[in-house]
Every structure is written in C-alpha cells, then in structure tokens.
Amino acid sequence: MGLIAFLKRLFWGTPAPSSDRDEWSANASQWSGTGGGASPTDSLKAELPRSRRRFQVPDVLRYSTTVRRQGLKLRVVSGVPYRFARPFILSPEEFGDLSTDTEIAALGRFGLPVLRTPEDLAQWLGVPLGRVAWLTGRFFENERPQSESEAHYHFHWVKKKTAGYRLIEAPKVLLKSVQTQILRGILDKVPAHPAAHGFVKQRSIRSNAAPHVGSAWVLKLDLTNFYPSVHFSRVVAIFRSLGYSREVAIWLGRLTTSATPSNLTAPDRRENTVWPYRLRHLPQGAPTSPAIANLSAFSLDVRLNGMAAKYNARYTRYADDLTLSGKGKSVPALREIIPFAEWIVRNERFHLNTDKRRVLRTHQRQTVTGIVVNEKLALSRAEFDQLKAILTNCIRLGAASQNRDDHADFASHLRGRIGHFLSVNRERGEKLRVLFQKIKWD
C-alpha cells in the first residue's frame, strides 16, 4: 500500500485495499466453523487466567443511540465547494466537502432547521459569514486568542466553597446573541433524559429530590469539572447525532465552546488550576452550555438509570450532582452499586469528586439538592430560622442593617428565598411571606 493510500485510509476512513481484505478473509476462513479449527483468540482466552479477562457489561446497560449515522466517504472536489472550506490534506488544489452528509430525516425528528453549509448557518443566524467565522476563532493564531482582549468571552475566577477556583466564561454581546439563537432554535427542541432535572423546563430541585423521599439509603456523587470535561469533540458529536453535516457541526461546536487565551492565569498562580480549561471546552456562563451538558450526559443518564432499575433503586441528576436511592431490600446491594456507578461515570469520560461521595441512611438527615427527603420534602429548620431572623430584624432595625452581602436588590433576594420555601413547604413559606410584607422599605 502506497503512502498516499495509507494517509487517505488514516485520515478519511478509506477502506483497506482489496488485497489486504482478501488476505484477511483467507486467514479467517481457516478459523471458521466450517474449517473445523479454533481461532487464535479463542485459544488465547482459554490460556488467560479469569482475573485478566475483560469486564463484560450486562445487557441491560448496553446503550445505542436511536439515530444511527451512516458511514459516508469524504467527497474530495476540485475548487472551493463553499466559503471557508479547508484544503484537502494531500493537495492544496483539492478540497474536502464536509457538507454532503446532512440527515434530513434526523433533523425533522425534532423540527430542527436544515443547515448544510456555513452559508446556510450564517443566513439562519442573521450574521454575515465573515463575522460568524470570526466568532469561531478562525482568524486567531492557532485558532486560539492570544490575550483576554482578543477573546470572545469575559473571564472571571470564582473561589469554590471547598478549595480551588472555578472559571466563569461569559460571552460578549455578539456571541451571546448567536448562542441564544442556537439555544432557542436547536437545543431547546431536543429533550433531555427524564432523569435530568437541572436547567430543564418544568423540572427543578424539587422534582429532582421528590423520587428519593422515604428511602433507606441515599447515595450522592459529584462530577468534578463538569463543564470543562465536555470537550469540543464531544460537542461536535452531539450536533452530528442530531443530523447536521460534519461542516455545520464543527461550526456549531466552535460557536458553543471556548478556547482560553494563552496568557490566562489563575489567582493562585497554579497551572493545575488552569489546565482543565486549556483544551477547547464547554464554557460555564454561556446560555447554550447547560443544554449541551445535559445532552453530553444523556448516555450517562441512560446507563445509571438502567443500573438503578436493575437494583430496584432510583436515579436523578441535577447538573453535576448524581443521586441514587433505594428501599430497605436494596441495602446489601450497595457494595455493588457504588463501584458499578463509579465505573459507569469513568467509562463515560467524566470524573468524580471522591471527597463529596456520601451514603446517607435513615438515621441521618438525607438531603438532595438542599432539600430534606427523609419522610417528606422539607427544608432544614436551621435555614428557616435564619431567614426568619433576618426578616424579623428587617422589621425592627431596617432592611439596610441586614444586607450584609451588599445585594443590589435586597428585596428581590429575600423574595427569591421566600419563594424557595413556598415551593417546598408552603406552610412555612406563608409565615415568612407575612413577615416580609411588614418590612418598611425606604
């Protein structure tokens, strides 16, 4: 096989030469059942000790997407097929046309707009094609901004509750408007898994906690660096699975991911803090990120939900918080459920924060996304007493004396906290609302 054929096979999936296939078929026929012999792999498996054999996933947890993509060969054409097409790797005069594999039927399943080329995408967004290419980072050196002023995001470090820092990446005006249209026109039309409750319409922290009420045990797992772990390749694969061509999926992936500037540093000056954000990733702060994060964890939700059903347990996820629970009969199975769930998370290319893993029994206060679920949905007494004391002091001493965190709109802040109580425990929420109405606002 020549060098040209080898490179085509390596980069573009060109089938192996017929001579190679014939040679393989001839060898395989000697090991087939009709030939009467066993294959070398069978004999090797027989010789290997049982401990070294590969772990087999139960059939109930095997998952395949409903939209199956067909393997299409790359179409190489002479001349530019559309603007901003990239030259073919083996010839600067030829171009790879990546717009020919749009799946109209798959797009019609959710009523998504049909976009075949970058021109179609720019027309749908209502933005000139050159501006869209600029937003994708096409004109940056190495397709990465060299400074924060060049980037399309505002970067802000926030200290975590435990330790370390989290990077908030807020898109600038033009990119935010483009991302909002992608969210409304594409992502909002694709449903998340029923077990996902974060950033999904008609679902909330209350609906996330409700399935776990009255459980004998509650297992809480936390995904670390959830957004940064969703890389560009996974985002492109999501748009591809919806039916978009490779070219449009790449452009949509670049419009919804972020590449941090080369000179970005963390407040603690540690490279380990910045390292998770070096690869192009899902930015925390973009309007499209929650929906894409839910779709990236769809397979994770399917597998963990299937595992929970197998053990007569329940599973929900709110953003990066995973919760499993079960009745008394499933308590002995915890020794299997915990390592099995952790293995599934790793297999789906996510990472667990082992320091936040918790197993809560009936004699403990079982909380799921801040809501107590031991016997019924409730908020902690300490939280109620704290908010009640704040409202009482606002009546006695004035609202300004209690705004210790300098909230710009302290009244709206208190309304939000009272509304949270009303959604979970209406009786206690009404008591707080009566106190709020007695406050005299200057």
Side-chain angles (χ1 to χ4, degrees):
M1 181 171 59
L3 176 61
I4 301 299
F6 170 74
L7 292 176
K8 285 185 177 181
R9 181 180 176 188
L10 177 63
F11 290 101
W12 308 108
T14 305
S18 58
S19 59
D20 294 346
R21 295 197 300 268
D22 295 341
E23 181 180 354
W24 166 254
S25 301
N27 294 334
S29 63
Q30 299 176 5
W31 302 326
S32 62
T34 56
S39 69
T41 54
D42 293 337
S43 60
L44 182 60
K45 288 180 180 178
E47 295 175 2
L48 284 175
R50 185 176 298 274
S51 60
R52 293 183 59 186
R53 295 182 185 178
R54 192 172 181 178
F55 176 73
Q56 297 295 325
V57 180
D59 290 337
V60 70
L61 298 179
R62 297 188 184 278
Y63 166 68
S64 60
T65 57
T66 55
V67 181
R68 295 184 179 273
R69 302 197 60 80
Q70 302 296 326
L72 299 177
K73 296 181 180 179
L74 174 68
R75 180 187 175 191
V76 180
V77 296
S78 298
V80 182
Y82 44 82
R83 290 181 61 189
F84 294 105
R86 295 182 182 273
F88 188 46
I89 189 172
L90 298 179
S91 173
E93 298 178 355
E94 295 181 330
F95 291 81
D97 189 351
L98 304 180
S99 65
T100 60
D101 54 351
T102 304
E103 295 190 7
I104 307 299
L107 294 174
R109 182 185 178 196
F110 299 114
L112 304 180
V114 178
L115 308 172
R116 293 184 174 87
T117 63
E119 288 96 335
D120 296 339
L121 176 62
Q123 185 177 3
W124 179 71
L125 292 173
V127 179
L129 181 57
R131 297 285 285 178
V132 177
W134 174 68
L135 290 175
T136 64
R138 185 69 175 265
F139 307 126
F140 291 145
E141 183 180 353
N142 297 324
E143 298 189 349
R144 175 185 296 274
Q146 300 304 305
S147 64
E148 294 186 30
S149 60
E150 291 184 1
H152 299 302
Y153 292 86
H154 298 289
F155 301 97
H156 176 62
W157 291 97
V158 177
K159 190 173 181 59
K160 297 181 181 179
K161 292 182 180 180
T162 53
Y165 292 86
R166 177 183 294 108
L167 181 62
I168 304 300
E169 302 168 85
K172 296 179 181 179
V173 177
L174 179 58
L175 180 59
K176 185 177 181 179
S177 65
V178 167
Q179 290 177 343
T180 301
Q181 182 164 344
I182 294 174
L183 174 66
R184 300 288 179 252
I186 297 177
L187 298 174
D188 278 351
K189 297 181 180 181
V190 184
H193 191 273
H197 294 262
F199 312 104
V200 179
K201 293 181 179 179
Q202 307 301 323
R203 302 179 201 174
S204 62
I205 60 173
R206 190 181 191 279
S207 64
N208 181 68
H212 306 288
V213 173
S215 300
W217 56 269
V218 175
L219 171 63
K220 298 170 64 175
L221 302 173
D222 182 82
L223 300 178
T224 184
N225 291 326
F226 182 37
Y227 283 7
S229 63
V230 181
H231 294 152
F232 170 70
S233 58
R234 178 174 279 188
V235 177
V236 172
I238 290 172
F239 287 112
R240 288 277 286 145
S241 67
L242 297 179
Y244 286 106
S245 65
R246 281 174 281 188
E247 188 68 50
V248 171
I250 290 173
W251 282 63
L252 288 171
R254 288 191 168 275
L255 289 172
T256 54
T257 56
S258 170
T260 55
S262 305
N263 63 348
L264 182 69
T265 58
D268 56 4
R269 302 295 178 181
R270 297 180 58 187
E271 181 60 27
N272 289 343
T273 305
V274 186
W275 181 252
Y277 304 95
R278 289 301 187 194
L279 295 177
R280 182 171 280 274
H281 60 278
L282 207 60
Q284 186 168 355
T288 50
S289 293
I292 294 176
N294 278 336
L295 294 178
S296 72
F298 194 94
S299 179
L300 173 71
D301 294 335
V302 168
R303 298 176 69 181
L304 286 177
N305 192 61
M307 183 203 71
K310 193 67 175 178
Y311 288 99
N312 294 320
R314 292 169 296 275
Y315 163 75
T316 61
R317 180 181 59 82
Y318 193 94
D320 56 356
D321 293 326
L322 316 179
T323 308
L324 294 104
S325 65
K327 301 298 182 181
K329 293 183 179 180
S330 60
V331 170
L334 270 174
R335 65 181 64 184
E336 298 179 5
I337 293 175
I338 294 176
F340 204 173
E342 292 179 345
W343 176 82
I344 291 175
V345 172
R346 291 193 302 269
N347 192 253
E348 289 295 327
R349 295 177 296 164
F350 290 107
H351 308 283
L352 283 171
N353 187 343
T354 55
D355 294 335
K356 291 187 177 182
R357 188 183 75 181
R358 298 287 185 273
V359 178
L360 306 174
R361 308 300 180 107
T362 52
H363 66 278
Q364 299 171 293
R365 188 176 70 180
Q366 299 172 333
T367 59
V368 178
T369 51
I371 299 178
V372 181
V373 296
N374 287 71
E375 297 178 356
K376 62 179 181 178
L377 295 177
L379 294 171
S380 67
R381 180 74 191 196
E383 187 176 354
F384 171 77
D385 291 341
Q386 181 193 38
L387 183 54
K388 181 181 178 182
I390 292 175
L391 295 173
T392 303
N393 289 333
C394 285
I395 297 173
R396 295 176 179 174
L397 306 175
S401 65
Q402 301 303 304
N403 189 10
R404 297 185 177 92
D405 294 331
D406 296 326
H407 293 284
D409 191 347
F410 189 49
S412 297
H413 169 73
L414 293 178
R415 287 194 200 97
R417 294 185 64 178
I418 294 172
H420 179 48
F421 269 90
L422 286 169
S423 66
V424 178
N425 189 323
R426 190 161 192 84
E427 182 181 354
R428 287 188 173 180
E430 286 294 342
K431 294 180 181 179
L432 297 173
R433 189 168 64 86
V434 171
L435 290 175
F436 178 81
Q437 292 175 345
K438 295 180 180 178
I439 300 175
K440 295 181 179 180
W441 301 93
D442 297 333

